[in-house]
Amino acid sequence: MDVRVLIAGAGPTGLTLGIDLARRGVGVRIVDKAGAHFVGSRGDGIQPRTLEVFEDLGVLGAVLAAGGAPVPMKVHIGGRVVGERTMFDAVQPSPSTPYPGPWFLGQSQTEGILRDRLAEFGVHVELGTGLTCFEQDDDGVTATLDTGEVVRAAYLVGADGGRSLVRKASGIAFEGTTDETIRMLLGDVRADPLDHAYGHWFGAPDDPMRGIVFSPLPGTPHFQFGAPLGEGDLDVETALPAVQSRLDALTGGGVVLSDLVWSTVWRPNVRLAARFRDRRVFLAGDAAHVHPPTGGQGLNTGVQDAYNLGWKLADGSPELLDSYEAERRTVAARVLGISTGIMQKYADGEEDAYKRGDDTRQLDVTYRGGPLSPRATGLVRPGDRAPDAPLRAADRAQVRLFELFRGPHATRLRFGGRPADPSDDVPTYRILAGGDRPADPGDVIDVGGFAHAAYGVRAGEEVLVRPDGYVWSVTV
Ligand SMILES: Cc1cc2nc3c(=O)[nH]c(=O)nc-3n(C[C@H](O)[C@H](O)[C@H](O)COP(=O)(O)OP(=O)(O)OC[C@H]3O[C@@H](n4cnc5c(N)ncnc54)[C@H](O)[C@@H]3O)c2cc1C
């Protein structure tokens, strides 16, 4: 075997998987047919659950430093500012949810941060190296690259985007619709002198919903813009002058567009792969599901596919590998429903289309009732996200549950009861109530009672947390 896992595609999904495997010491190669790294902001909204994943993978600091919080949107109608809207209600961090709101960073910058992290493990994206075909047998996958090289791997992961060769070559249907009646021109552009502390929405008095929107891109002089296209309207080549003249008509002039670094014509494409796995071949990210950008779910769902798959591929047991499709296809189907629902609100011109609800934060993703999650009752149940909580270690240092979870391992939390004496190598912590004295290096004190409140388990119960931060089991 040349390598354990071959990843086709170095977008956010492939890069996340690469990091998760490399940090476990799993041999991995990541190839991309593109000759150069993607430039453009595309998926610029990073959801709270993805921020938690990024913390575990060691990239959160860089993402927070490079990006920015959501900004309010100024509504310009007939050349005048008529109001301000916020997409997200402000939510304060809490002990269980340290990152409650989304964070904004252009996708190409996020990918750069992920590539840098991957390089720390000695793994580099192989550009100009497309997967052209593959076949599999009981022991592995034999893949041919367009460099002529033939690679033998235990598993192949198609993280190769919406037009996935891996999906097509596996004969997996991509069920759903492409709606040609709605077309948007999207791209990154300078728009001087628009204020970067705001998004800007320019509409016409008689049809305010068909306006042009500009969202500032942190750390750059650019905005991501979106402009609806009519029949036979603009294309990418004539984009800039055409958007400029439409903007001039809406504003009466004064905003100058320049330096178009990326643009694309987008149509609603809502599809879900019929299967996420064919024996030793797996699909993840846009290769498995494509979303409307409304709701900012595509990149985030791909990152979490990868995070769900990494520890399972590293383990290799049939039970874990089987659970990937059952867990992630269910989540992807739900997420497609959410982003399609928001897009429909825009299409229907609904007033509150702009407002985002809790369901876009992906903190409520659960694998309850899935193959790894026995049915149970209680506040936190198998399959649920394991919440964070501030604690005090036996040496009196402050520590968070997320810090105890950090890394490629599972974690056992024992609420009270006897000292930690695990029979396996799973890091085990006994969580004591505020007044208790630690007796063992594995004891941590729940000073504010936040862990007990968030988990709601009884004294003596144990919570086993999966490597990807979801509850595996709750036992007495
Ligand atoms: C305008 C716009 C706005 C968006 N906004 C958001 C947002 O706010 N939040 C969000 O979560 N998502 C958003 N998305 C969606 C997001 O961009 C995608 O979901 C995300 O890029 C998917 O990542 P991926 O790694 O699965 O696939 P991709 O990013 O498509 O990467 C696939 C990679 O595979 C490579 N590849 C293809 N074929 C082969 C082959 N045969 N061999 C090797 N390599 C191959 C490609 O070159 C590419 O680098 C938006 C998308 C658009 C267009």
Side-chain angles (χ1 to χ4, degrees):
M1 211 62 76
D2 299 322
V3 68
R4 187 161 165 87
V5 181
L6 175 65
I7 303 172
T13 305
L15 291 167
T16 301
L17 182 61
I19 295 169
D20 198 22
L21 291 170
R23 71 177 178 152
R24 293 166 195 278
V26 175
V28 58
R29 278 179 69 178
I30 176 163
V31 297
D32 200 296
K33 74 173 182 187
H37 295 307
F38 170 72
V39 178
S41 64
R42 282 218 284 175
D44 62 341
I46 303 176
Q47 300 296 347
R49 180 60 191 151
T50 305
L51 295 174
E52 295 181 352
V53 171
F54 281 175
E55 179 177 7
D56 183 40
L57 297 179
V59 295
L60 181 65
V63 166
L64 293 180
V71 294
M73 180 79 74
K74 282 193 173 170
V75 180
H76 308 246
I77 304 260
R80 278 190 320 116
V81 176
V82 298
E84 231 178 81
R85 288 187 187 172
T86 51
M87 191 177 258
F88 307 95
D89 289 330
V91 193
Q92 292 308 312
S94 69
S96 67
T97 311
Y99 318 109
W103 199 248
F104 283 81
L105 183 63
Q107 182 168 328
S108 51
Q109 291 155 281
T110 302
E111 290 180 10
I113 290 169
L114 292 170
R115 275 196 304 274
D116 288 348
R117 179 70 175 139
L118 187 60
E120 290 174 21
F121 298 102
V123 180
H124 300 272
V125 173
E126 299 172 49
L127 286 175
T129 310
L131 174 76
T132 55
C133 60
F134 60 89
E135 44 192 45
Q136 58 172 317
D137 52 51
D138 288 348
D139 304 318
V141 181
T142 304
T144 305
L145 307 177
D146 60 11
T147 53
E149 186 187 353
V150 176
V151 180
R152 181 83 178 145
Y155 301 103
L156 168 68
V157 178
D160 50 346
R163 298 192 179 127
S164 171
L165 175 141
V166 176
R167 186 190 65 238
K168 289 177 190 162
S170 302
I172 297 177
F174 207 25
E175 293 156 352
T177 55
T178 303
D179 182 349
E180 296 289 344
T181 63
I182 302 177
R183 297 193 313 142
M184 296 274 293
L185 186 70
L186 305 165
D188 299 350
V189 73
R190 285 187 72 134
D192 298 313
L194 287 185
D195 184 352
H196 275 254
Y198 294 88
H200 301 270
W201 188 3
F202 296 94
D206 52 345
D207 189 5
M209 298 309 292
R210 284 188 56 80
I212 304 179
V213 66
F214 293 84
S215 309
L217 292 168
T220 80
H222 296 95
F223 287 83
Q224 186 184 81
F225 76 92
L229 296 176
E231 283 289 309
D233 207 343
L234 320 179
D235 57 29
V236 173
E237 280 68 42
T238 55
L240 197 55
V243 176
Q244 178 74 67
S245 70
R246 196 187 290 183
L247 186 62
D248 289 345
L250 291 169
T251 61
V255 180
V256 179
L257 304 182
S258 62
D259 194 17
L260 181 71
V261 290
W262 162 78
S263 75
T264 188
V265 174
W266 173 85
R267 16 182 108 56
N269 196 11
V270 182
R271 291 179 185 275
L272 180 64
R275 288 175 293 136
F276 280 21
R277 178 185 180 192
D278 176 28
R279 292 164 294 158
R280 291 182 164 272
V281 175
F282 294 80
L283 300 177
D286 275 20
H289 41 78
V290 285
H291 310 241
T294 40
Q297 302 291 297
L299 174 149
N300 292 276
T301 308
V303 163
Q304 283 166 64
D305 288 345
Y307 193 57
N308 182 286
L309 183 57
W311 64 286
K312 296 174 179 176
L313 284 175
D315 181 279
S317 72
E319 183 201 17
L320 290 186
L321 294 176
D322 281 348
S323 71
Y324 169 69
E325 174 179 308
E327 291 190 340
R328 291 308 300 173
R329 193 170 180 279
T330 308
V331 170
R334 171 173 176 257
V335 171
L336 282 179
I338 293 168
S339 39
T340 308
I342 297 172
M343 188 183 65
Q344 194 56 49
K345 282 188 172 186
Y346 278 112
D348 295 345
E350 286 189 26
E351 265 294 299
D352 69 340
Y354 188 66
K355 206 80 194 164
R356 295 291 170 270
D358 277 355
D359 53 1
T360 59
R361 301 194 296 157
Q362 303 202 346
L363 290 168
D364 59 353
V365 165
T366 177
Y367 304 124
R368 268 187 199 185
L372 301 183
S373 308
R375 294 191 189 282
T377 55
L379 190 57
V380 166
R381 300 192 207 168
D384 288 354
R385 163 186 168 275
D388 197 9
L391 301 165
R392 202 172 65 213
D395 65 2
R396 304 192 66 77
Q398 303 268 352
V399 65
R400 290 164 51 214
L401 274 181
F402 276 9
E403 292 172 85
L404 305 182
F405 300 161
R406 192 178 300 159
H409 53 79
T411 310
R412 185 182 287 113
L413 307 176
R414 179 172 293 163
F415 285 78
R418 59 197 191 287
D421 57 345
S423 53
D424 51 31
D425 58 3
V426 174
T428 299
Y429 301 91
R430 184 167 64 151
I431 306 208
L432 299 175
D436 294 344
R437 291 176 70 84
D440 189 88
D443 287 347
V444 284
I445 311 288
D446 189 13
V447 183
F450 296 113
H452 282 80
Y455 284 78
V457 294
R458 287 176 302 230
E461 283 185 323
E462 275 185 7
V463 177
L464 186 61
V465 178
R466 305 171 9 165
D468 61 349
Y470 289 85
V471 173
W472 207 331
S473 61
V474 181
T475 48
V476 180

